Amino acid sequence: MLTYSFASIGSDSLYHHLYKCIKNDILQGILAPGTKMPSKRSFAKNLNISTITVENAYAQLMAEGYIYSLPKKGYFVSDITNTIQTKVKPKSENIAETEKTKSYFADFLSNSTNHANFPFSIWAKIMREIISEKSEELMIKPPCGGISELRQAIALYLHEFRGMKVSPNQIIIGAGTEYLYGLIIQLLGHDKIFAVEDPGYKKIALIYLSNGVKCEYIPIDESGISIKDLEESKADIVHISPSHHYPTGIVTPISRRYEILGWASKSDSRYIIEDDYDCEFRLLGKPIPSLQSIDVMEKVIYMNTFTKSLASTIRISYMVLPAHLLERFYSKLGFYSCTVSNFEQYTLAKFIRDGYFEKHINRMRNFYRNQRDLILQCIKNSPLSSYVTIKEENSGLHFLMNIKTTLSDDEIVSRAEQEGLRISCLSQYYHKSAPNTEHTIIINYSGIESNKIEEAIQRLSKCLLS
């Protein structure tokens, strides 16, 4: 059904505005010759205008030859391609070509997941079961925070895996952490100052800035974010990833964690956003306890996502709000609809509840450990071995590789690209100055195909040492 806006029609009458909208679509080729126009009654109902208005617009279009009518069949678009001297180009011809994604032999920057690792057969089986068992529930609008089954499944998972005791009601489901950041800003206030780690994942600061809030960049040391600099920044909210910092790989020790909690406790307006983006994939020892699990002052907003653990294209994330913020959330933001479909929520809930998620995590942890070990072995066997130092290889799905070279970081990235490799350097993640970070490459291995690793390291050796 054709739809037009009547919000800004100026001095035009309703019928004349509608006439111009249809005429413009015909001239631009959006309405092709022979296209059947909507009936006057259904068109009027869809546009929330009177049938007379549609009738008058159609009459004017017929008088000028843009449409014609057939008895008992309706109105149709006339073929005017041979009657106008200057043809208006369809809009699609004026739209710039969309950006094309460059193809690389090996991408050490992407956090994508290999399609071969996704449990398609199990996921499809559960989807069929959901269609059969939840057909009625699938058509019911979910609560703002997400369906109860998924929130219960996540709460149980957090208790068993992360030692977190949270109520399902504290969990808010959203389509990606980026969307949830926006909710947090609205919840806590645009007047608040947000702080991010420097270096850090650049997109986080960009999201805060695009939402119109002030953002401060706080340096980190070997233990995590600097408390002294955080205090001096006058920030109200700090966004950190204490269990595995990106890109340095630092794990914040317990003493610094209590210092961060102490900072937050000094003011009612202070909160900590704990980004636990890849906590499942610590490859040595037990997972690091979350900051939220030792927070007794309700100062931590815990966030996680399934993009790392399942697939980068599954846009299901969640946050755990402190209990005292729930009433404020629902009174202020309860009008929002949940941005994840019922179908996906019920499927994921059953995937977790029936034990498939735990099995998948265990399988992927073994896969990534083998993936990492293969890369490290290939580096050891390559000419790079006597020129590089490996750091933070046990914390998550990337590690740092420092190389002895006179090349600048820009030259390293450029040379790698010429060899079909996409890499990044630690210095690129600093907002302020980056002392002593030159020649440190970030090796993200989650999306690398195993059969390409050996050649990828050979190519890397060639561009770094030649």
Side-chain angles (χ1 to χ4, degrees):
M1 178 66 71
L2 293 175
T3 301
Y4 300 109
S5 172
F6 289 80
S8 302
I9 66 174
S11 59
D12 286 343
S13 62
L14 289 176
Y15 97 85
H16 196 253
H17 177 73
L18 178 59
Y19 148 79
K20 289 197 298 185
C21 289
I22 298 173
K23 174 184 173 181
N24 188 53
D25 280 356
I26 293 173
L27 288 173
Q28 291 190 339
I30 296 173
L31 291 175
T35 299
K36 189 177 187 302
M37 299 296 293
S39 70
K40 289 180 287 186
R41 186 180 298 277
S42 62
F43 203 10
K45 184 177 181 181
N46 180 60
L47 298 177
N48 197 25
I49 58 178
S50 69
T51 306
I52 295 298
T53 298
V54 178
E55 187 174 306
N56 288 339
Y58 278 5
Q60 185 66 31
L61 291 164
M62 284 184 63
E64 296 182 17
Y66 289 104
I67 65 174
Y68 62 93
S69 67
L70 294 176
K72 298 183 179 180
K73 291 187 177 180
Y75 296 88
F76 299 83
V77 176
S78 301
D79 186 354
I80 60 172
T81 54
N82 296 322
T83 63
I84 53 177
Q85 295 179 353
T86 305
K87 185 177 180 181
V88 180
K89 289 184 178 181
K91 286 185 178 180
S92 59
E93 295 181 21
N94 298 323
I95 298 176
E97 186 177 357
T98 56
E99 182 181 357
K100 294 182 179 179
T101 303
K102 187 171 182 178
S103 177
Y104 294 90
F105 174 78
D107 190 341
F108 289 104
L109 178 58
S110 172
N111 62 356
S112 62
T113 47
N114 194 313
H115 71 278
N117 294 323
F118 187 79
F120 282 107
S121 59
I122 295 172
W123 196 261
K125 168 181 170 290
I126 293 175
M127 289 174 71
R128 290 192 295 269
E129 292 173 355
I130 294 299
I131 292 175
S132 174
E133 300 169 3
K134 299 282 188 180
S135 57
E136 183 177 347
E137 291 90 335
L138 288 174
M139 306 306 293
I140 298 174
K141 181 180 178 180
C144 170
I147 64 167
S148 176
E149 284 91 334
L150 180 54
R151 295 156 85 182
Q152 289 173 3
I154 292 174
L156 181 60
Y157 168 76
L158 289 176
H159 176 65
E160 294 179 345
F161 185 77
R162 303 294 283 134
M164 295 168 54
K165 297 179 180 179
V166 303
S167 164
N169 294 331
Q170 293 177 252
I171 297 172
I172 307 296
I173 308 296
T177 52
E178 297 162 15
Y179 165 75
L180 295 177
Y181 297 158
L183 291 185
I184 290 174
I185 293 168
Q186 294 175 66
L187 176 65
L188 301 181
H190 284 78
D191 60 326
K192 300 297 187 291
I193 300 175
F194 286 72
V196 296
E197 298 161 314
D198 187 24
Y201 186 50
K202 290 184 176 181
K203 185 183 281 190
I204 295 172
L206 291 175
I207 292 169
Y208 288 133
L209 292 170
S210 69
N211 277 276
V213 296
K214 186 177 181 181
C215 189
E216 295 288 346
Y217 297 82
I218 313 299
I220 66 170
D221 56 30
E222 66 280 357
S223 296
I225 199 162
S226 167
I227 301 299
K228 176 179 177 293
D229 290 285
L230 182 58
E231 286 281 8
E232 293 176 353
S233 72
K234 307 299 181 184
D236 301 288
I237 295 97
V238 61
H239 188 130
I240 58 175
S241 48
S243 293
H244 184 222
H245 176 259
Y246 190 89
T248 66
I250 290 172
V251 176
T252 301
I254 191 67
S255 57
R256 181 63 58 86
R257 292 181 183 226
Y258 278 116
E259 287 185 73
I260 298 170
L261 289 171
W263 166 86
S265 69
K266 293 179 181 179
S267 171
D268 290 342
S269 64
R270 289 183 177 180
Y271 288 95
I272 302 161
I273 298 173
E274 180 182 13
D275 192 339
D276 212 19
Y277 68 99
D278 71 347
C279 64
E280 292 89 357
F281 298 115
R282 180 170 176 80
L283 302 181
L284 181 66
K286 294 182 178 180
I288 303 298
S290 69
L291 189 63
Q292 194 275 351
S293 65
I294 60 172
D295 172 29
V296 296
M297 299 290 290
E298 294 192 350
K299 286 294 184 177
V300 177
I301 298 173
Y302 177 89
M303 303 193 72
N304 209 333
T305 177
F306 291 94
T307 57
K308 283 282 190 181
S309 53
L310 275 178
S312 54
T313 53
I314 291 185
R315 307 300 299 169
I316 304 179
S317 300
Y318 62 92
M319 61 180 174
V320 180
L321 291 176
H324 72 273
L325 285 180
L326 287 178
E327 184 178 352
R328 188 198 305 183
F329 177 84
Y330 283 108
S331 64
K332 191 174 182 178
L333 304 175
F335 64 90
Y336 277 111
S337 298
C338 183
T339 50
V340 181
S341 73
N342 285 12
F343 199 1
E344 291 176 294
Q345 290 191 65
Y346 280 116
T347 301
L348 180 56
K350 189 173 178 60
F351 187 79
I352 298 172
R353 189 177 61 247
D354 290 358
Y356 294 115
F357 184 59
E358 183 179 357
K359 292 178 182 177
H360 176 72
I361 291 298
N362 291 335
R363 183 170 65 87
M364 291 308 300
R365 194 179 291 119
N366 289 331
F367 171 80
Y368 286 132
R369 183 181 292 107
N370 292 335
Q371 189 91 331
R372 179 207 59 183
D373 291 347
L374 178 57
I375 293 176
L376 294 176
Q377 187 62 44
C378 287
I379 292 173
K380 184 178 179 180
N381 295 337
S382 76
L384 282 174
S385 59
S386 56
Y387 293 89
V388 301
T389 303
I390 304 298
K391 296 192 299 181
E392 304 296 343
E393 67 271 30
N394 294 316
S395 300
L397 302 183
H398 75 276
F399 60 82
L400 303 181
M401 183 174 76
N402 183 267
I403 180 168
K404 298 175 184 176
T405 180
T406 58
L407 297 172
S408 70
D409 284 358
D410 288 341
E411 289 176 316
I412 290 173
V413 172
S414 178
R415 286 192 175 198
E417 188 167 354
Q418 293 173 13
E419 290 293 330
L421 306 177
R422 187 181 182 215
I423 64 172
S424 63
C425 293
L426 182 59
S427 60
Q428 295 174 295
Y429 290 85
Y430 281 84
H431 176 75
K432 301 176 183 177
S433 60
N436 305 319
T437 58
E438 284 285 302
H439 316 138
T440 299
I441 300 172
I442 300 167
I443 302 294
N444 190 331
Y445 51 85
S446 64
I448 302 294
E449 297 176 46
S450 301
N451 59 356
K452 291 184 176 181
I453 288 177
E454 185 175 359
E455 183 177 344
I457 298 303
Q458 291 175 356
R459 294 190 184 193
L460 193 58
S461 300
K462 178 182 176 182
C463 69
L464 293 177
L465 302 179
S466 61

